[in-house]
Structures are given as structure tokens and as C-alpha cells.
Amino acid sequence: MTLQVPTDRDRDDLALLTECVRLAADNVASGGGPFGALVARDGEVLAVGVNQVTPTLDPTAHAEVVAIRAACRRIGDFRLTGCVLVTSCEPCPLCLAAALWARVDRVLYAADRHDAAEAGFDDLAFYRLFETPRDRWSVRVEQLACAGRTDPFTAWLERPDRVEY
């Protein structure tokens, strides 16, 4: 068996993960949820976030989303190309989608969806839900025929000054 020698990147990744776990634990001590995240680029931490769902009454205020929003504001762009999203736990579908929309290069996490489920969080259930046909969901998701439903897209495509994302 050959031992893998940790690279500088491995050491840097571990330091960032350790910081996210610390952020999450500190957030719990402050009355918040057990999640912490950060966005880094070229070894520099651009922004950090902790779960703020209950204090802000915002179901989208997950640590990853908070960190992504702050990083985008900091660099003045909605794209985080060249960045890594580091988080104390595997991103839920909401946070993973936010990372994809932000165009991060990589997502790195410590605990996983199973760990979150054991602590009472819905991450695993939501991942399973997305594997289930929509007609079997408890929440109805329906399309209704509507005149002009594609008009906003036509208008978008006609704008020469549109910013692609």
C-alpha cells in the first residue's frame, strides 16, 4: 500500500474545512443552526456565512447562501468563477443549486447529508424527493397554460445589452 502525501492544496482545504466546522459550532453556541460556510479564491477567504434561518425568519438563509451572497457583493459580480465553496456539511439541494448558479469551480464539505439527517435536518429527504416523480410529491408543482408564457424570454433574447448567466 502506498501512502498518499498530503499536498499543499490538501492542507489548505483541511484548514478551510476546519474553519467552517468552527463557524458552525460557534453558531450553535450563539443559538443558530449547525452550519458554516465560506467562499475562497486563490487561498483568500472572500466571505463567510452561518445558518441564519431562524434569526432572520428566512428559509433561504442557509450558511452557503449567506456566504455566496456576501462573496458576490464583495467582488461585484454574481459569478464566482475561480472560487471554492467550503461548508461544514454537504450542501442541501437549495445550496447546491446556488453554488451551481454562482458558477463556483468546486464545492468542498465535511459532514454529509446522512449526518444532517441524524441531527433532524431534511437534506436527505429533499435529495430523495428529487429522485421521485413529481406526481408523487406531497407538494403539487403544476404548469398551467397561460397566454404569453414565453413573452419574457422573447423580450430577454431581444435585449442586446443582456448579461448572460
Side-chain angles (χ1 to χ4, degrees):
M1 180 172 145
T2 305
L3 292 177
Q4 182 113 5
V5 177
T7 65
D8 287 341
R9 179 176 165 175
D10 293 335
R11 284 186 282 278
D12 292 344
D13 287 350
L14 185 56
L16 293 173
L17 272 174
T18 301
E19 176 62 11
C20 287
V21 171
R22 185 196 64 75
L23 287 167
D26 288 353
N27 199 47
V28 170
S30 298
F35 303 96
L38 62 81
V39 175
R41 181 174 59 193
D42 300 326
E44 177 189 3
V45 174
L46 299 176
V48 299
V50 293
N51 183 283
Q52 298 177 5
V53 170
T54 56
T56 62
L57 304 178
D58 179 353
T60 69
H62 293 199
E64 298 90 339
V65 173
V66 172
I68 287 169
R69 289 173 179 163
C72 288
R73 283 191 304 271
R74 177 163 179 199
I75 67 169
D77 196 344
F78 59 86
R79 292 169 290 232
L80 295 174
T81 307
C83 294
V84 57
L85 172 65
V86 185
T87 181
S88 62
C89 187
E90 180 180 8
C92 72
L94 167 78
C95 296
L96 187 56
L100 295 171
W101 277 109
R103 309 293 195 249
V104 299
D105 287 6
R106 189 165 64 112
V107 176
L108 180 64
Y109 61 90
D112 67 16
R113 64 182 84 170
H114 302 281
D115 300 316
E118 286 181 24
F121 291 89
D122 292 336
D123 305 46
L124 181 59
F126 290 148
Y127 272 103
R128 287 180 176 154
L129 176 67
F130 286 121
E131 295 171 354
T132 305
R134 279 191 186 171
D135 63 352
R136 293 180 33 212
W137 289 15
S138 62
V139 173
R140 291 173 52 171
V141 179
E142 305 170 296
Q143 182 180 20
L144 184 61
C146 174
R149 74 179 189 276
T150 61
D151 290 352
F153 296 117
T154 301
W156 169 256
L157 290 170
E158 291 172 354
R159 283 193 68 111
D161 62 340
R162 72 181 177 268
V163 177
E164 298 291 341
Y165 60 98

